[in-house]
Amino acid sequence: MKQVTSRPPAKPGLKGRSPGFFDRLSPLSRLKLLGFVFFTFAPSAILVLSPFSPRRSWLSLAVYAAFGGLTAAGWLYATAINRKALWILIPSQAFWFYLPRLFPKDFQTGFTLSIEGCMCIALIVTGYVLFVMFIRTEGTRAVRMQAELDLAQQIHETLIPPIDLTSDRLEVFGRSVAGAEMGGDLIDVVERDGSTDIFIADVSGHGVKAGVVMGVVKSAMRTRLRAGGGVGELLRDVNAVICELTVPEMFVTAACLRVQGGGQAVFCGAGHGPVLHKRHASCDVVEIESGQLPLGIIETEHYEGRSVPLDRGDVLLFMTDGLTEVFDGTGRMFGQAPIERILAIGGQRTLSELYEEVLAAVRAHGPQSDDQTLLLVRVL
């Protein structure tokens, strides 16, 4: 069985050094920060150089404000963002000494320093220094946390890659779109001993906590498959692992399908939503219900698989509730019925086209609030 997956390229480092707080800012965030510094220090030249004389022209006041703000923003940019700008910034400070020649009428009585202005600018600088110390401390923590979230996201993309499989028996296409940096949904396909096992699982909640449990579930399932046995035994043993390793309020819904030769298939579910089965012969859509408790609730829960007849051309749709539980602006839930209609009408389309049509309908209905996972299977 050939598997084709796509993963994003690794992010390159910043010239061999670890990126800091300012390095990680987006262009828009940098612009906002520079704007904050500009308007904070724009009055500095007016306060220091002006004796508050009414003879000052509006033009000179505007130049003082612009140059004072640009000087402060330039020093921030050169010291925190791009040190190469220092060679432009340092010579530009000579402009301060050119101000008396540019506006001679403002300096007819001589160069006068305003004591009040000097006190004000001293307070502004002190507040700015404390502000920079604060964002450097908190920024370091934020950068470290973001780095950990980026790592968690990379791990998630490794554990739950996109699925695009084709064999002589099945065609499988699936994607999982996390609702946060790391998702708690799982899709997996394993071919072993002449059979193909297809899994979908949904950990309660979302985010890093759910993503960690999802990794445990996938590892437990893959390990248990090596021991052989039916899908009911698989869920029974994984349930025992989840009960031992998770907190009581966490649980996992799951649905497993084992497809063997001759159109024989065995399904076993654990509290998961129904799997939709589009039957090629009759063109109707039926539900395959789970009917058993989710994993992680009762350690002694018994899971039993049941036979599901499959014919050539049948399509099975596995999904998580992040697709059906999407709400529009009026609070109306998307539900399962629109997905059934898409599957009933578009059963002859490629699986990737079906996937895109379902996702487009869901996203047109409302914003994503949870992990959204869809897995499609066609019997060949």
Side-chain angles (χ1 to χ4, degrees), residues 341-342 345-346 349 352-362:
R341 288 195 294 269
I342 293 173
I345 297 173
R349 298 183 183 178
S352 60
E353 290 174 342
L354 272 176
Y355 174 89
E356 294 296 338
E357 187 172 352
V358 172
L359 262 289
V362 171

Side-chain angles (χ1 to χ4, degrees), residues 230-233 256 265-269 292 302-308:
V231 290
E233 297 171 305
C256 306
V266 178
F267 174 83
C268 188
Q292 297 172 104
H302 178 71
Y303 295 93
E304 184 174 353
R306 67 178 185 272
S307 177
V308 175

Side-chain angles (χ1 to χ4, degrees), residues 321 323-338 365:
D321 56 13
L323 291 170
T324 56
E325 296 178 2
V326 171
F327 297 87
D328 62 10
T330 64
R332 183 172 58 91
M333 191 172 74
F334 183 71
Q336 181 178 299
H365 184 81

Side-chain angles (χ1 to χ4, degrees), residues 99-136:
L99 285 177
R101 294 186 179 183
L102 186 62
F103 301 104
K105 292 182 179 181
D106 292 352
F107 296 93
Q108 288 179 353
T109 58
F111 183 79
T112 305
L113 287 175
S114 167
I115 297 177
E116 295 88 345
C118 291
M119 291 183 63
C120 289
I121 196 62
L123 292 173
I124 292 175
V125 171
T126 302
Y128 173 70
V129 170
L130 293 175
F131 169 75
V132 170
M133 293 173 62
F134 171 77
I135 63 173
R136 282 192 179 277

Side-chain angles (χ1 to χ4, degrees), residues 215-227:
V216 173
V217 173
K218 180 168 184 177
S219 299
M221 283 187 171
R222 287 264 181 161
T223 303
R224 180 60 184 81
L225 280 173
R226 292 179 173 274

Side-chain angles (χ1 to χ4, degrees), residues 195-207:
S195 63
T196 303
D197 293 317
I198 301 166
F199 307 99
I200 188 169
D202 183 2
V203 180
S204 58
H206 53 276

